[in-house]
Structure formats: C-alpha cells, structure tokens
Amino acid sequence: MAVATDGTTRTAGTAARRRALCLVLVLLAVQVGWLARPAYACGCGALVHGPDTTVAVHHETSVVRWDGGTERIAMSLTVDGTAPDAAWIMPVPHRATVRLGDPELPDELREITAPAVEHRHYFWPRGGDWPFESDFDGSVSAAPPPADPPVGVVSRERLGPFDVARLTATDPDALRGWLTAHGFRLPPALTEALRPYVAQRWEYVAVRLAPADRGTLTGTLDPLVLSFAADRLIYPMRLSRLATTPQALSLYLLAPHRMAPRSAIGGAPPRVVYAGRIRPQDVVRDFAGPAPVFLTALDQDFPQPQRISGDHEFHRAAADTPYRRVRRVDTLLTVGDIPLWIPTAGAVLLLLMAAPAALTAGRRRRGPAVPTVRPPMPPG
C-alpha cells in the first residue's frame, strides 16, 4: 500500500508540473503575440509601424474645406505609443498636394463652435450654497459645463517632421511591398482593405512620422493639409475598420451650405455640435479664404470600428438651419458678493419683529378709549 501511494503521488506531481508548464507557455505565447500585434487607429487612413511597438490615436480632428470642385483637409492626430516612427497612409480620389498646416486651426474652430453661455439666476440657496456649505466665501458657484506601374512615386519631400510620399498603386500587394522596403510592415488585412481604392484608381499619400528629438511618437502632431480635386465632399474612413480600439472623430466642414452625412457608416449617429455661416478670420481665413462660408461641426464615435462600412460622404442639408449648443449657468443672486436672500430675509424678520411694537405704540398715542353715553329719552 505504501509503495502504490508513493507512485501515485509522483505521477500526480508530474502531471501537475506539466500542466503548469503548458500554462506558462500559453501565457508567454499570448504576451509575445500581443507585443508583436500592430495597432491601427486613424479615422481617415492607416497608421502602421514596426514590430514590437505600439501607436494609438486617441483622437482625430480634421478641418475640411470644400467649394464644389476642390477639397482641402487639415488633419491633426493625437497619438501615444512606444514607436520611434510610423507610417500613415491616406487614400485620396485624385492627385493631392501636401503642405504643413497651422496647429492653431483646430483651436480657433473650437472657440467658434463652443457652446453659448446662458446665465440664469436663482434667489434661494441650493446645495453647495451657504448655509448648506460651511466654507462659503461669497463667490458665485456655477454649474459645471455640461480616423501604370504597380507603385509609382509621384513625389517625395520633407515637411517638418514628416517624410511625405505621394504614391499611385495598381496593386495593393505592391503598395505593401513599397512600405516594407521602407522599414514598415503592412499586414494582409490592410492590403485587402486597400483593394476598393485600387479598383477605383485612387492615389495615396504615405507619410513617415518621426519626432524631432528621435524619441517616441506622442502628443498632438502638427496638422498636414491635403488638397485635391473633388466634385463631392468625401472623407475617407474605410481603412479605420482595422482599428483595434474605439475611435473618436471630430469634423469641421466648411462649405457653401450646411452639410449632412449620408449615413453613419457603422458608427454611432453623428452629432451636430455647431451649424452657422461665419466670416473667416485669422487662421481660419488663411485656410478657407475670406468669403463667408457655412461651418458644420460634427462629432462621431466608433465603438466597434470593424463595423465601418465605407467612406463618409456628405451632401447639402435640406436647409441652412443654424444651430449652437447652449450651456446654462445658474448663479445665486448677490449684492456686493452677499447673497440677496440674506438681507431680504433679515429685513422681513425685522419687519415681523417690529410690527407688534408699532401696534402697541399706536394705541398708546391715541390714549384710552372714551365710552359713548347716549342721553336719556324724554318721557312720552
């Protein structure tokens, strides 16, 4: 009995060690696969990079100017990752020119489209006002504010931190080979996603991104401006279906009229955050020209990027109806930094206290009441 028990124990121990070893190997394989897995995130193109590095686009903001025949896109990406450089691919329907944009352009448009503030006042204190908050200091509290040859290189140039190549391609596999030859891996999934653009004979802008200090790509990149012929306002989005994380897109559309998307293309319904005719000033004027233009600002989320069904195409809305968000700020009525309800309540209290004394004093001034005596009636 003792020998049999010992053999069973050794067998069980060996099996347990084997299972533990298998588990460790599986976890290592998963970890290595995760590290080697490239990340794709861009609302309008594809961001590719070398193996064992990551790049994620947290948000993409694009300003689009369309006058009926020419489209101009200024694109700004906020990225974070471990890659020292990366390549970005943007399909365009016609040959494009590329230049650096002004980083203040999105900021200026954010100011134009910010919600209007509507102030409302209330009399009686609420939660957070004295005496419901012990550290009242007399200040007014406000409510918080509520992505041919097989490959032809049309041109290649250096624009600030960007190495920009304008490409033509009749074969997505050849395009993948071009990128691979320049140090970046383009996976088969992206090659397949490019086939519709190749079939339509679109061209491509390939951009190598490299920080000036040769560190890692992080923060908001300077915008690039692409200009090309376009008889309809279209914003390429098809490649974003390869993103591995939810995507957020902000678009500022500058056109003759208010614009509306033909569909949500697999994302959440686009939200209009501003619509109105503006007269461009400063940086916006440099980008869009001096003539009045209709600005339509949209925000859209893509919780499941793999559902993106195509490119964004916009058409003229039924009417140029203006729209602006309103942020309502409720403030307590004050007089000289003192809430108005305090002196008002004090005055009422004093009146109530003084009323009985005033009545008593009035009676004293009038003296005692004199009884009325009727004269006797004469005998009948």
Side-chain angles (χ1 to χ4, degrees):
M1 283 296 290
V3 173
T5 302
D6 182 64
T8 304
T9 302
R10 286 198 299 271
T11 302
T14 301
R17 285 194 296 273
R18 287 175 178 173
R19 287 195 295 271
L21 180 60
C22 290
L23 179 60
V24 170
L25 291 175
V26 169
L27 291 174
L28 285 174
V30 171
Q31 183 68 14
V32 170
W34 176 260
L35 289 174
R37 181 184 182 185
Y40 303 94
C42 185
C44 61
L47 199 63
V48 297
H49 50 85
D52 302 329
T53 60
T54 61
V55 173
V57 176
H58 298 302
H59 198 92
E60 175 186 353
T61 301
S62 289
V63 184
V64 183
R65 172 70 170 105
W66 181 71
D67 59 9
T70 301
E71 184 170 336
R72 184 179 301 124
I73 301 176
M75 196 170 319
S76 179
L77 306 179
T78 301
V79 302
D80 185 23
T82 62
D85 50 17
W88 165 66
I89 307 168
M90 173 69 169
V92 289
H94 299 282
R95 185 151 300 175
T97 61
V98 186
R99 63 176 176 85
L100 282 177
D102 194 318
E104 295 183 5
L105 178 60
D107 295 335
E108 189 169 308
L109 286 167
R110 270 190 287 268
E111 291 181 6
I112 294 173
T113 60
V117 178
E118 179 183 283
H119 291 279
R120 300 186 302 183
H121 296 87
Y122 57 93
F123 182 80
W124 292 111
R126 300 177 181 177
D129 297 325
W130 187 88
F132 303 110
E133 185 178 75
S134 59
D135 59 348
F136 173 74
D137 60 359
S139 62
V140 178
S141 61
D148 301 316
V151 176
V153 180
V154 177
S155 69
R156 192 167 183 179
E157 57 187 323
R158 184 79 177 186
L159 296 174
F162 304 105
D163 178 14
V164 180
R166 294 184 294 155
L167 307 173
T168 62
T170 57
D171 183 353
D173 292 311
L175 182 58
R176 176 187 177 189
W178 187 92
L179 288 170
T180 302
H182 288 77
F184 298 96
R185 181 179 59 179
L186 187 62
L190 189 54
T191 303
E192 290 301 314
L194 286 169
R195 292 192 185 278
Y197 295 118
V198 173
Q200 297 176 58
R201 304 185 68 83
W202 281 37
E203 297 191 3
Y204 311 91
V205 176
V207 182
R208 178 187 288 271
L209 313 175
D213 58 2
R214 302 306 299 171
T216 57
L217 284 171
T218 186
T220 300
L221 306 177
D222 289 339
L224 275 179
V225 178
L226 288 71
S227 301
F228 49 89
D231 56 3
R232 55 196 173 110
L233 201 167
I234 189 168
Y235 190 75
M237 286 288 297
R238 191 188 306 271
L239 300 185
S240 294
R241 68 178 63 176
L242 300 177
T244 58
T245 57
Q247 303 293 286
L249 174 67
S250 295
L251 282 178
Y252 298 96
L253 306 177
L254 297 160
H257 300 279
R258 178 169 173 169
M259 305 302 289
R262 294 195 180 277
S263 75
I265 63 169
R271 305 180 301 277
V272 177
V273 298
Y274 182 89
R277 194 167 298 280
I278 65 170
R279 183 176 293 277
Q281 303 291 331
D282 302 325
V283 179
V284 178
R285 178 189 178 100
D286 295 338
F287 178 80
V293 66
F294 202 97
L295 170 59
T296 309
L298 302 168
D299 283 345
Q300 187 177 15
D301 296 321
F302 295 89
Q304 297 176 293
Q306 65 273 17
R307 293 189 174 183
I308 294 176
S309 57
D311 299 322
H312 253 319
E313 186 175 346
F314 297 90
H315 64 94
R316 179 179 175 178
D320 289 341
T321 306
Y323 169 77
R324 189 173 189 179
R325 295 168 295 169
V326 175
R327 179 168 62 89
R328 293 180 173 85
V329 177
D330 294 339
T331 55
L332 183 65
L333 279 170
T334 60
V335 175
D337 291 335
I338 299 176
L340 184 59
W341 70 268
I342 294 179
T344 303
V348 172
L349 182 60
L350 288 174
L351 287 174
L352 292 176
M353 294 174 61
L359 291 174
T360 302
R363 293 192 187 101
R364 289 175 179 173
R365 285 195 298 270
R366 290 193 299 270
V370 178
T372 302
V373 179
R374 293 182 178 181
M377 299 292 293

